[in-house]
Amino acid sequence: MADDLFKALADPTRRTILDELTERSGQTLFEICSRLSMKHQLGISRQGVSQHLAVLEAAGLVETRREGRYKFHDLNTAPLRQITERWPVPHPSGPEDSTP
Amino acid sequence: MKIHMTSVFVDDQAKAEQFYTEILGFVKKHDVPVGEQDRWLTVVSPDEPDGTELLLEPAGHPAARTYRDTLVQDGIPLAQFAVDDVQAEYERLRGLGVRFTQEPLEMGDVTTAVFDDTCGNLIQIATEPQ
């Protein structure tokens, strides 16, 4: 599971897909492809985007949902919690904030 | 050579006529019976009565179903229409109960949105590049 997560995050295109799904969850494959090509000038085929989505889905970061005849992709950031559970981030009100 | 006519396959021509005229606001141009139940049914934009016609073609061919279902599943539109203001058109159509699979999306100087024409297709609306 952790391997799937880190593999999914290792690719810049997949991180861009996550950025775009953060902006709006629930996108069709067409919308994701449009965003990558028009906003990010990424020349990836639809098949290529589908493959990236499959990797993100395997990591649990993207979930697909069928609604009638359409298929939407939703963002799920829950698996990212594994990272901070493994390597805890210092609490913001930690020693840094304390004035000498 | 000119593009005089283009077409979309529709499940039901009567329903398509209603959606494309009453909801989208196109105007019927030709309506001629063909065969037993089919019609040669075309619409045009009221802004361009002599412009490109859109043929609302019966989706009777078995291949049409697979073709359209697969495209719809991935959210791919089969036709694109130009509007002055995608956001305003989105709100107008939504108010009329039209289902959007992509809400207005600004990408550089183009804004697009995608909706279901209730006859088996997705349609994209886009602002014309200035």
Side-chain angles (χ1 to χ4, degrees):
Chain A
M1 188 64 193
D3 282 349
D4 284 345
L5 176 67
F6 295 122
K7 184 189 167 197
L9 294 172
D11 183 272
T13 302
R14 288 198 284 273
R15 293 196 297 272
T16 304
I17 292 174
L18 295 179
D19 290 340
E20 291 302 322
L21 287 173
T22 303
E23 194 178 297
R24 179 154 85 207
S25 201
Q27 294 181 30
T28 60
L29 177 61
F30 177 77
E31 178 168 358
I32 295 168
C33 291
S34 303
R35 285 170 177 259
L36 293 180
S37 65
M38 308 270 298
K39 281 178 75 179
H40 300 278
Q41 282 75 46
L42 291 170
I44 312 170
S45 68
R46 192 171 290 127
Q47 288 85 349
V49 176
S50 281
Q51 282 165 12
H52 283 306
L53 286 169
V55 175
L56 289 167
E57 210 178 333
L61 293 166
V62 166
E63 289 172 350
T64 55
R65 159 172 58 94
R66 282 185 180 274
E67 216 180 290
R69 303 171 64 220
Y70 334 113
K71 186 174 156 191
F72 294 105
H73 301 80
D74 294 318
L75 178 70
N76 178 20
T77 52
L80 297 176
R81 214 170 284 134
Q82 292 172 51
I83 298 175
T84 49
E85 279 168 1
R86 186 165 166 179
W87 297 295
V89 178
H91 200 267
S93 61
E96 283 176 3
D97 282 355
S98 60
T99 43
Chain B
M1 206 177 289
K2 288 185 199 170
I3 298 176
H4 168 66
M5 178 176 294
T6 181
S7 66
V8 288
F9 286 114
V10 295
D11 295 329
D12 177 332
Q13 284 188 299
K15 198 174 164 190
E17 178 185 347
Q18 194 184 6
F19 185 87
Y20 279 80
T21 59
E22 290 174 20
I23 306 283
L24 296 187
F26 292 132
V27 178
K28 189 157 77 171
K29 178 120 181 189
H30 291 110
D31 188 357
V32 185
V34 181
E36 284 183 9
Q37 0 173 317
D38 295 345
R39 298 146 68 189
W40 181 260
L41 176 65
T42 72
V43 295
V44 288
S45 165
D47 300 337
E48 290 181 342
D50 296 318
T52 307
E53 291 175 51
L54 180 70
L55 174 67
L56 303 172
E57 191 167 4
H61 194 286
R65 185 179 185 92
T66 315
Y67 166 66
R68 294 191 308 155
D69 284 353
T70 314
L71 294 179
V72 167
Q73 178 182 310
D74 283 343
I76 301 168
L78 277 182
Q80 174 168 307
F81 304 137
V83 296
D84 292 332
D85 182 342
V86 167
Q87 185 66 37
E89 195 63 27
Y90 163 76
E91 278 156 26
R92 184 185 81 82
L93 292 173
R94 256 200 22 163
L96 294 170
V98 175
R99 172 76 163 91
F100 278 77
T101 61
Q102 184 204 295
E103 289 171 21
L105 171 62
E106 216 181 300
M107 296 175 293
D109 50 5
V110 183
T111 303
T112 65
V114 180
F115 64 83
D116 189 321
D117 75 350
T118 72
C119 304
N121 309 295
L122 295 179
I123 302 292
Q124 176 163 275
I125 47 173
T127 45
E128 278 185 304
Q130 297 300 308

